[in-house]
Amino acid sequence: VVAEPENYTTYSKAPQPPAGASGGPVRVGTVWNPASEEVYGVIQEGIDAENTVDGHTLRVYAGTYPENVDVTKSLTIESVDGRETTIVQAAQASDYVFDCSRSNTAIRGFRIHNATGEGKAGVRFDGTITRGSVGDCEITFNHHGIEVSGGVSGTVVGGPEARNVIAANNGHGVYVHGWATANNRVQN
C-alpha cells in the first residue's frame, strides 16, 4: 500500500471565487499519482508526466485549480476531498475545462466551471473514444456542462451513484452530437 504524500494537509478552506472576482483564483492543492508515487502542483503536470501511463489514477486534493486540462491518457482523475473543496476552473474561458480525447477516462468529484466561450464545455469527450464517465461533479457556469461528440460511444453521465449537478450553463446541460455518436447514457 502506497502512503499519501507527506506534504498534504486536509483543508477546510472556503472555495475560492471564480476568475475575475475580487482576489482572483488561488490554487492550494496537490495532485498525487499513487502508482508512480509522484506529486505534482497541477493536474496537467500529472497527466503529462512520463511516469503517468494509461490506467493510472490521479488523486487531486482540495484547492482551486485554474487550468484547462487536456486529458491525453486513459486515466481516472478524482478528487480526494470532494466537489465542495476541489475546484477546477478554466484558466482560459475560451477553452474546455476538461478536454478528454482518450478512451477509459473518468472524471470524479470536482466543481467544474468557467468555460464560457461559445461552444465550450466544462467536460468534453471528443473523438473516437469509448468508456468515458463523469461522476459526483458539480458542473456550472460554462457554455455547455458536458459535451459528447464525434464518434464517442459508451460515455456515462450520471446514474444512481454519480450524483452530478449540471446547472446554470448558458447552452446545454449535456450536449450529445456528432457522426456515429451512440450508446451513451445520460441518467438521473
Side-chain angles (χ1 to χ4, degrees):
V1 174
V2 178
E4 292 186 355
E6 292 178 23
N7 64 345
Y8 173 70
T9 304
T10 302
Y11 255 128
S12 59
K13 186 173 180 160
Q16 298 295 314
S22 174
V26 176
R27 183 187 53 77
V28 292
T30 298
V31 179
W32 177 49
N33 182 337
S36 70
E37 299 185 29
E38 294 177 335
V39 177
Y40 311 98
V42 295
I43 299 166
Q44 191 67 58
E45 205 175 81
I47 293 167
D48 294 343
E50 183 177 331
N51 291 329
T52 299
V53 298
D54 290 347
H56 280 187
T57 296
L58 294 179
R59 297 179 51 84
V60 182
Y61 289 83
T64 298
Y65 296 81
E67 298 188 62
N68 298 93
V69 181
D70 293 322
V71 184
T72 56
K73 297 177 183 175
S74 298
L75 302 172
T76 296
I77 303 171
E78 64 184 12
S79 164
V80 172
D81 300 302
R83 67 184 182 208
E84 292 78 23
T85 59
T86 312
I87 301 154
V88 184
Q89 62 187 31
Q92 300 295 319
S94 60
D95 198 0
Y96 303 96
V97 180
F98 283 98
D99 192 359
C100 307
S101 60
R102 289 293 299 269
S103 294
N104 302 311
T105 299
I107 308 295
R108 297 188 193 133
F110 296 97
R111 183 178 307 158
I112 301 168
H113 64 253
N114 206 35
T116 56
E118 184 68 30
K120 301 306 177 190
V123 178
R124 176 174 83 151
F125 292 98
D126 186 49
T128 55
I129 69 172
T130 58
R131 293 177 299 279
S133 67
V134 179
D136 200 25
C137 290
E138 178 180 305
I139 304 171
T140 57
F141 306 112
N142 301 289
H143 187 232
H144 301 307
I146 298 173
E147 178 183 357
V148 179
S149 67
V152 176
S153 66
T155 301
V156 177
V157 178
E161 301 300 318
R163 301 181 310 270
N164 286 316
V165 175
I166 304 169
N169 295 290
N170 295 330
H172 302 279
V174 179
Y175 183 41
V176 180
H177 67 96
W179 63 278
T181 299
N183 300 316
N184 296 292
R185 184 175 77 209
V186 179
Q187 180 178 343
N188 274 336

